[in-house]
Amino acid sequence: MSDPNASILDEEALDWLVRVSFGTAGPDEFAAWRARSPAHERAARSAEALWRDIGHTATAAEFSRREAARGRLPHLPAGAMRRGIDRRPGHLGRRAVMTGAMAASAAALVASSGVFGPLAGLAADHATRPGERREVTLPDGSMAMLNTATALSVRFTAAERRIVLTAGEAFFAVAKDPDRPFVVAARGGETRAVGTAFAVRTDGDEVRVTVSEGIVEVTAAAGLPVRLIAGQGAGYGGAGSQPLPQQVNEAAATAWRRGKLIFNQRPLVEVAAEMSRYRPGRVVVANPDLERLPVTGVFELDDQDAMLRAIEQALPVRVLHLPLLTVLR
């Protein structure tokens, strides 16, 4: 049977590491805490090992890559090492060596925790905060439903109805107007329609288009238009080239419109990344051995605590809540 006191000390040690990383506590304070007893020291070492594990996970590497693509921090590959804070005896840095990816993640959690929404929202016509969804009626009668942490601007003229999606994801139900195409611009590419329904999602420098009704044309920054019909999707940007039409589960891809998240045998690391979109801070998988665990279920977007409890009950995973950070270990 596990020792509940040891579990409490583990969580306290991790809380100290988070506060030291964010600059709200000093290494000397953590050193004093860990010197209280051998049990405190064991908990501190365990917490430092967890920090290192988080930095080596695919979650941390993907987070670092995406934040770099958004221009929020320099890209650091997983496993890149940063020296400890202080190597003098009795100080945190004596033993702790944080990976570059985790250090970058910690800094980004402060700078871009998203409590007030994406930075792009400051200059956008419409924006949502993390976890918020909002429906907007456009000047032509079309409907745009903004998903979490989304920012878009409206640029309508007599010849064209243009939306600039600078962050997040939106679903568009387009009013018919054959004389004025409806265009959503994102990451250098365009999705063009006349009267249809489709979703456009940005993820770092990548874009994903999903069609619910009608036909749209997707054009990457340097490529030819690709036609998509209902039930198809395509992506562009990042390291990809010409968009390729694919059959998609449109109901699952746009389940957020109904306040749901649907997963079918999705790896836990991908589920954690998806959950991170809907909350301030991040959800990370600390142990690489857990990242491929499959998750299946229909979850309520507005009750992520219940979702985390369900994952904890179904998988060999323990959930640890910290400021701006939820750790699955």
Side-chain angles (χ1 to χ4, degrees):
M1 181 179 297
S2 62
D3 182 355
N5 292 327
S7 177
I8 292 172
L9 288 179
D10 285 345
E11 297 195 10
E12 288 185 6
L14 278 167
D15 183 63
W16 272 107
L17 274 177
V18 171
R19 287 190 283 154
V20 170
S21 298
F22 291 166
T24 59
D28 288 336
E29 296 174 277
F30 186 28
W33 180 89
R34 71 191 298 164
R36 289 182 184 178
S37 72
H40 284 74
E41 175 63 21
R42 284 193 296 271
R45 293 189 183 195
S46 175
E48 290 166 352
L50 178 58
W51 271 118
R52 292 193 295 272
D53 288 343
I54 291 174
H56 283 289
T57 63
T59 307
E62 181 66 9
F63 175 71
S64 177
R65 183 193 67 77
R66 289 178 181 176
E67 294 301 299
R70 294 177 177 129
R72 291 174 175 166
L73 73 161
H75 175 56
L76 294 170
M81 304 300 288
R82 192 178 97 172
R83 294 292 180 261
I85 299 170
D86 190 337
R87 293 188 178 279
R88 289 176 293 164
H91 286 256
L92 169 64
R94 177 179 53 155
R95 298 179 182 88
V97 180
M98 294 177 63
T99 65
M102 192 58 210
S105 298
L109 286 173
V110 176
S112 60
S113 59
V115 174
F116 301 107
L119 294 177
L122 297 175
D125 292 329
H126 304 284
T128 53
R129 299 182 303 274
E132 180 186 9
R133 301 181 302 281
R134 184 155 56 89
E135 188 171 305
V136 174
T137 300
L138 301 175
D140 66 333
S142 297
M143 182 276 292
M145 185 169 187
L146 282 63
N147 197 5
T148 177
T150 294
L152 62 79
S153 294
V154 181
R155 302 287 184 265
F156 281 17
T157 68
E160 180 185 70
R161 298 171 290 171
R162 177 172 290 264
I163 300 292
V164 179
L165 181 66
T166 50
E169 179 178 20
F171 179 89
F172 302 96
V174 182
K176 293 185 182 298
D177 187 346
D179 296 327
R180 288 199 303 165
F182 189 97
V183 179
V184 178
R187 303 297 189 268
E190 294 183 349
T191 301
R192 182 177 296 263
V194 174
T196 186
F198 63 98
V200 181
R201 170 175 170 169
T202 66
D203 196 355
D205 58 352
E206 298 177 352
V207 176
R208 183 74 189 174
V209 179
T210 301
V211 181
S212 298
E213 298 176 13
I215 301 172
V216 304
E217 284 188 345
V218 180
T219 308
L224 299 174
V226 172
R227 177 164 291 195
L228 303 180
I229 62 174
Q232 289 185 326
Y236 66 83
S241 53
Q242 182 74 0
L244 296 176
Q246 296 177 328
Q247 292 300 124
V248 297
N249 186 335
E250 181 273 335
T254 62
W256 59 268
R257 296 171 51 210
R258 304 181 298 279
K260 310 286 184 183
L261 281 178
I262 300 176
F263 302 112
N264 182 17
Q265 296 292 300
R266 288 278 296 277
L268 181 61
V269 66
E270 295 182 9
V271 172
E274 191 68 14
M275 291 185 69
S276 294
R277 299 177 61 221
Y278 293 90
R279 56 197 296 139
R282 291 293 180 268
V283 181
V284 299
V285 184
N287 188 337
D289 294 335
L290 303 178
E291 292 179 348
R292 307 313 299 175
L293 289 176
V295 177
T296 297
V298 179
F299 303 95
E300 295 290 335
L301 265 178
D302 296 329
D303 193 355
Q304 289 205 14
D305 287 342
M307 180 176 175
L308 288 167
R309 288 194 299 269
I311 290 174
E312 197 171 31
Q313 293 168 5
L315 300 175
V317 169
R318 182 183 172 198
V319 179
L320 177 60
H321 297 279
L322 296 169
L324 296 179
L325 184 66
T326 301
V327 182
L328 307 181
R329 59 173 179 154

Coordinates of all heavy atoms in Angstrom, one line a residue, residues 3 41-42 68 73 86 89 99 150-152 186 190 201 203 205 217 228 231 238 261 265 289 312 319:
D3 N 2.2 5.1 0.7 CA 2.2 5.9 1.8 C 1.5 7.3 1.5 O 2.0 8.0 0.7 CB 3.6 6.2 2.3 CG 3.7 7.0 3.5 OD1 2.7 7.5 4.0 OD2 4.8 7.2 4.1
E41 N 13.6 15.1 1.2 CA 14.7 15.1 0.2 C 14.3 14.0 -0.9 O 14.5 14.3 -2.1 CB 16.0 14.7 0.8 CG 17.2 14.5 -0.1 CD 17.5 15.7 -0.9 OE1 17.2 16.8 -0.5 OE2 18.2 15.5 -2.0
R42 N 13.8 12.9 -0.5 CA 13.4 11.9 -1.5 C 12.3 12.4 -2.4 O 12.3 12.2 -3.6 CB 12.9 10.6 -0.7 CG 14.0 9.7 -0.2 CD 13.5 8.4 0.3 NE 12.5 8.5 1.3 CZ 12.8 8.4 2.6 NH1 14.1 8.3 3.0 NH2 11.9 8.5 3.5
A68 N 7.0 27.7 -30.8 CA 7.9 28.3 -31.7 C 7.3 28.7 -33.0 O 7.6 29.8 -33.5 CB 9.1 27.3 -32.0
L73 N 8.3 31.4 -28.6 CA 9.6 31.1 -28.0 C 10.4 30.4 -29.0 O 9.9 29.8 -30.0 CB 9.4 30.2 -26.7 CG 9.0 28.7 -27.0 CD1 9.3 27.9 -25.7 CD2 7.5 28.6 -27.3
D86 N 21.4 26.5 -9.9 CA 22.5 26.8 -9.1 C 23.1 25.5 -8.6 O 22.4 24.7 -8.1 CB 22.1 27.7 -7.9 CG 23.2 28.2 -7.0 OD1 24.3 27.7 -7.1 OD2 23.0 29.2 -6.3
P89 N 26.0 23.5 -3.1 CA 25.3 22.5 -2.2 C 24.1 23.1 -1.5 O 24.2 24.3 -1.1 CB 26.4 22.1 -1.2 CG 27.7 22.4 -1.9 CD 27.4 23.6 -2.8
T99 N 15.3 19.9 -18.9 CA 15.5 19.9 -20.4 C 15.0 21.2 -21.0 O 14.2 21.9 -20.4 CB 14.6 18.8 -21.0 OG1 13.3 19.1 -20.8 CG2 15.0 17.4 -20.4
T150 N -9.7 31.4 -30.0 CA -9.8 31.7 -31.5 C -9.8 33.2 -31.7 O -10.4 33.9 -30.9 CB -11.1 31.0 -32.1 OG1 -10.9 29.6 -32.0 CG2 -11.3 31.4 -33.5
A151 N -9.2 33.6 -32.8 CA -9.3 35.0 -33.2 C -9.4 35.1 -34.7 O -8.7 34.4 -35.5 CB -8.0 35.7 -32.8
L152 N -10.4 35.9 -35.1 CA -10.6 36.1 -36.6 C -11.0 37.6 -36.8 O -11.6 38.2 -36.0 CB -11.6 35.1 -37.1 CG -13.0 35.1 -36.6 CD1 -13.9 36.2 -37.3 CD2 -13.7 33.7 -36.9
A186 N -5.8 31.5 -43.9 CA -5.1 31.1 -42.7 C -3.8 30.5 -43.0 O -3.7 29.7 -43.9 CB -5.9 30.0 -41.9
E190 N -5.8 29.4 -48.4 CA -7.2 29.9 -48.5 C -8.2 28.7 -48.6 O -7.8 27.7 -49.3 CB -7.4 30.9 -49.6 CG -6.7 32.2 -49.5 CD -7.0 33.1 -50.7 OE1 -7.7 32.6 -51.7 OE2 -6.7 34.3 -50.6
R201 N -9.3 24.9 -38.9 CA -8.5 24.9 -37.6 C -7.1 25.1 -37.9 O -6.4 24.5 -38.7 CB -8.7 23.5 -37.0 CG -7.8 23.3 -35.8 CD -8.1 22.0 -35.1 NE -7.1 21.6 -34.1 CZ -7.2 20.6 -33.2 NH1 -8.3 19.9 -33.2 NH2 -6.2 20.3 -32.3
D203 N -3.2 25.1 -36.2 CA -2.5 24.4 -35.1 C -1.0 24.7 -35.4 O -0.4 24.0 -36.1 CB -2.8 22.9 -35.1 CG -2.3 22.2 -33.9 OD1 -1.7 22.9 -33.0 OD2 -2.6 21.0 -33.7
D205 N 1.8 26.2 -37.3 CA 1.8 26.7 -38.7 C 1.0 25.8 -39.6 O 1.1 25.9 -40.9 CB 3.3 26.8 -39.2 CG 4.0 25.5 -39.1 OD1 3.5 24.5 -38.5 OD2 5.2 25.4 -39.5
E217 N -13.0 24.8 -51.9 CA -11.7 24.7 -52.6 C -10.6 25.1 -51.6 O -10.7 26.2 -51.0 CB -11.6 25.5 -53.8 CG -12.3 24.9 -55.0 CD -12.0 25.6 -56.3 OE1 -11.5 26.7 -56.2 OE2 -12.3 25.0 -57.4
L228 N -12.9 19.8 -52.0 CA -13.4 18.9 -51.0 C -14.9 18.9 -51.0 O -15.5 20.0 -51.1 CB -12.9 19.4 -49.6 CG -11.4 19.5 -49.4 CD1 -11.1 19.9 -48.0 CD2 -10.7 18.2 -49.7
G231 N -17.9 15.5 -45.8 CA -17.3 14.3 -45.3 C -15.8 14.2 -45.6 O -15.2 13.1 -45.2
G238 N 3.0 23.9 -42.5 CA 4.0 23.1 -41.8 C 5.0 22.5 -42.8 O 5.4 23.1 -43.8
L261 N -16.0 16.3 -26.8 CA -14.8 15.8 -27.3 C -14.9 14.3 -27.5 O -15.3 13.6 -26.6 CB -13.6 16.1 -26.4 CG -13.0 17.5 -26.4 CD1 -11.9 17.6 -25.4 CD2 -12.5 17.9 -27.8
Q265 N -9.8 5.4 -29.7 CA -8.4 4.8 -29.7 C -7.3 5.8 -30.0 O -6.3 5.5 -30.6 CB -8.3 3.6 -30.7 CG -9.2 2.5 -30.4 CD -8.8 1.7 -29.1 OE1 -7.7 1.2 -29.0 NE2 -9.7 1.7 -28.2
D289 N 6.2 6.1 -21.5 CA 5.6 4.8 -21.6 C 4.1 4.9 -21.6 O 3.4 4.0 -22.0 CB 6.0 3.9 -20.4 CG 7.5 3.5 -20.5 OD1 8.1 3.6 -21.6 OD2 8.1 3.2 -19.4
E312 N -8.3 8.7 -15.4 CA -7.6 8.1 -14.3 C -8.1 6.8 -13.9 O -7.4 5.9 -13.5 CB -7.7 9.1 -13.1 CG -6.7 8.9 -12.0 CD -6.7 10.0 -11.0 OE1 -7.8 10.6 -10.8 OE2 -5.6 10.3 -10.4
V319 N -3.5 11.7 -12.0 CA -3.6 13.1 -12.4 C -3.1 13.9 -11.2 O -3.5 13.8 -10.1 CB -5.0 13.4 -12.7 CG1 -5.1 14.9 -13.1 CG2 -5.5 12.6 -13.9

